[in-house]
Amino acid sequence: NRSSDLISGEGSVFAGKGCVNITGYEGENLSIYSVDGKTVASQKVVSNNTTVAVDSGIYVVKVGTRTVKLVVR
């Protein structure tokens, strides 16, 4: 269930139930941070459809040079 599609153009980044979904950013660096600044995930996007499991909360997601805030339920 997509809550929002916040980065578009090259691809999209959106919150799922207990996860962050990334599409279309293969080869880009991905970082996910909690609102208190802790790194939750840091990896290279290895496919056009990537899912990263996270706990419910608010996250800052950076893919390549784009940054967005997501609410994961």
Side-chain angles (χ1 to χ4, degrees):
N1 187 2
R2 289 167 78 150
S3 66
S4 60
D5 192 15
L6 295 172
I7 299 178
S8 59
E10 298 173 31
S12 61
V13 175
F14 55 95
K17 186 175 182 180
C19 65
V20 173
N21 298 292
I22 300 96
T23 61
Y25 285 94
E26 186 172 0
E28 295 285 350
N29 291 320
L30 164 70
S31 297
I32 302 174
Y33 305 96
S34 59
V35 290
D36 62 0
K38 293 181 182 169
T39 302
V40 175
S42 182
Q43 63 190 63
K44 188 165 281 275
V45 179
V46 294
S47 76
N48 278 329
N49 294 301
T50 300
T51 301
V52 179
V54 295
D55 293 331
S56 297
I58 300 170
Y59 296 93
V60 175
V61 180
K62 182 175 181 184
V63 181
T65 59
R66 298 181 181 208
T67 305
V68 68
K69 184 164 59 170
L70 294 177
V71 177
V72 176
R73 302 187 192 287

